[in-house]
Amino acid sequence: MNTLLQDAQLVLDAQKAAAHVGLQSDTIIVNGGRPLRGRIDVRGAKNLVTKAMVASLLGDTKSVLRDVPDISDVHVVSRLLEIHGVEISGSPESGTLVLDPANVAIAQSAEIDALSGSSRIPILFCGPLLHRLGHAFIPDLGGCRIGDRPIDFHLDALRSFGAVVEKLPSGINITAPNGLKGANIELPYPSVGATEQVLLTGVRAEGTTELKNAAIEPEIMDLIAVLQKMGAIISIEPNRVILIEGVEKLKGYDHRALFDRNEAASWASAALATKGDIFCVGAKQQEMMTFLNVFRKIGGDFDVEEDGIRFYHPGGDLKPVVIETDVHPGFMTDWQQPLIVALTQAIGTSTVHETVYENRFGFTDALVEMGADIQVHKNGLEGGNRRVPRRALEQAAVITGPTKLHGADIEVPDLRGGFSHLIAALTAQGTSRVSNVGLISRGYGDFTGKLKKLGADFSFEA
Ligand code: EPU
């Protein structure tokens, strides 16, 4: 796709996402320079909730999912489930969904197509649909534009279970003429999505599945908890090995989703960058330990309380850090974008090595336009003691601060980069016009309501 077409598609995606959650406009005008202060709720994790919704397809009875965030990705997955015959009651607005898979059926490919491009989740429908219907069709996948985001690990894993994969111009057609059988699978990289693919397929495959080099993110552990409630037998062995004993039947679950640690880390970064004080109700310490260490090293402070975590700028100077993004328990790739805004305010030079995606610093262009001093090294930086062995994908951003940010006209490029733009606009002196904010609602529930609660000065463009 050429750049003009990509930009047009981005605007369209942003508008669709904004419409899903009833956002008044896709552009907001922000008057920055005020600290964000107050208390906000953090609901269930996008990266668990959407997968738990897919897991409901595997049960014979209704599932109940609680603490669901009102984000556009949840609306897209709900629609995808509905066109496959799942009846959904409750709503993301109320925070509870009841998913009834009694009448699962093959969807019209035109209906799936209409949703194509707006979410990466359809690939995870493969295992459950193959078990239920013996057939799955997956449209072109969307998601954030942060790299190539191939699905080879997913397709290889499905083939190991005995699935037959046929690539068509409109998507991927998958069948299981001889059923799905347990397999020995070793992932080339501990991919979150591919681990979920193996879990959602292995639980009802015949026999035992051994998955090596699995992802062990807290959201994966919570998905395993969901599947165990449904009747699955899954054990977590040392050294990233997961064993799944296939069972014939699964029932529905009742589950309260794990909180969204990406959302909590984003608001924490906003507190630091704007010299504010934000209490995230629902945030928990254990899943955020790596983030909390970095937050403290930079000069932020936090209080872990019974009902959440208070993140604040305690006064004094912020200090630079060196970070490498990594799989869990390392520093998440989704945390670097909002934190980089805070690093523009630290005294000295910080370095962020991105090792998970090959194109996740595009958002820094807008920060530079706003006055930040950030240099992106597209082929990474050599040297120094590194925690993560160098991956071919690696890139680095070098941030020198402190710099005064000023308002600008900026376009949100993707979900996390978009939140980073929002924080930059709130930190900057003067007025910013931030467009495509619909993309932020893919993963941040009621972010404009929360901004109001935190005292941000902004309005929707008419
Ligand atoms: N990869 C492959 N082939 C595959 C799958 C992945 O090469 O078949 C590569 C990717 O290109 C990437 C790396 O492996 O370089 C890691 O990808 P992974 O599969 O772990 O990521 P994902 O499942 O696509 C989820 C989250 C991301 C989050 C990553 C890492 C969801 C819907 N998305 O993506 O979240 O960054 O794990 O933790 O769960 C976000 O929330 O903004 C977001 C992008």
Side-chain angles (χ1 to χ4, degrees), residues 44-46 69-73 260 262-263 415-416 438-445 447:
K46 162 177 98 63
D70 187 11
I71 55 175
S72 125
D73 274 18
D260 198 317
N262 291 343
E263 184 182 3
L415 170 60
R416 306 291 168 200
L439 292 177
I440 299 175
S441 55
R442 284 199 45 225
Y444 295 89
F447 72 93

Side-chain angles (χ1 to χ4, degrees), residues 46-47 51 149-153 191-193 334 356-357 416:
K46 162 177 98 63
N47 293 347
K51 327 298 172 65
R149 306 195 75 181
I151 51 169
D152 50 337
F153 305 164
S191 147
V192 168
D334 304 289
V356 180
Y357 291 109
R416 306 291 168 200

Side-chain angles (χ1 to χ4, degrees), residues 46-48 50-51 73 120-121 124 144 146-155 189-196 215 217 219 261-262 326-327 332-334 337 355-358 360 391 393 414-416 442:
K46 162 177 98 63
N47 293 347
L48 170 272
T50 45
K51 327 298 172 65
D73 274 18
R120 308 241 340 136
I121 305 298
L124 295 177
C144 285
I146 52 183
D148 281 347
R149 306 195 75 181
I151 51 169
D152 50 337
F153 305 164
H154 294 252
L155 299 182
Y189 178 80
S191 147
V192 168
T195 300
E196 292 159 345
E217 268 62 11
E219 293 77 16
R261 62 200 176 109
N262 291 343
D326 194 0
V327 293
M332 281 203 77
T333 166
D334 304 289
Q337 303 82 348
T355 75
V356 180
Y357 291 109
E358 66 271 38
R360 227 179 177 184
R391 272 192 96 203
L393 301 180
D414 62 59
L415 170 60
R416 306 291 168 200
R442 284 199 45 225

Side-chain angles (χ1 to χ4, degrees), residues 191-215:
S191 147
V192 168
T195 300
E196 292 159 345
Q197 181 74 262
V198 173
L199 286 168
L200 291 166
T201 308
V203 282
R204 275 192 55 191
E206 192 188 321
T208 302
T209 295
E210 184 188 55
L211 176 63
K212 286 189 183 153
N213 207 21

Side-chain angles (χ1 to χ4, degrees), residues 157-230:
L158 287 163
R159 288 190 191 99
S160 306
F161 283 109
V164 176
V165 176
E166 188 193 359
K167 290 191 185 166
L168 304 172
S170 53
I172 301 165
N173 199 41
I174 305 175
T175 50
N178 302 313
L180 296 168
K181 308 239 165 20
N184 291 327
I185 297 168
E186 178 162 3
L187 296 178
Y189 178 80
S191 147
V192 168
T195 300
E196 292 159 345
Q197 181 74 262
V198 173
L199 286 168
L200 291 166
T201 308
V203 282
R204 275 192 55 191
E206 192 188 321
T208 302
T209 295
E210 184 188 55
L211 176 63
K212 286 189 183 153
N213 207 21
I216 50 166
E217 268 62 11
E219 293 77 16
I220 301 258
M221 295 301 138
D222 210 35
L223 180 63
I224 292 176
V226 166
L227 293 167
Q228 189 179 49
K229 283 179 178 173
M230 298 178 79

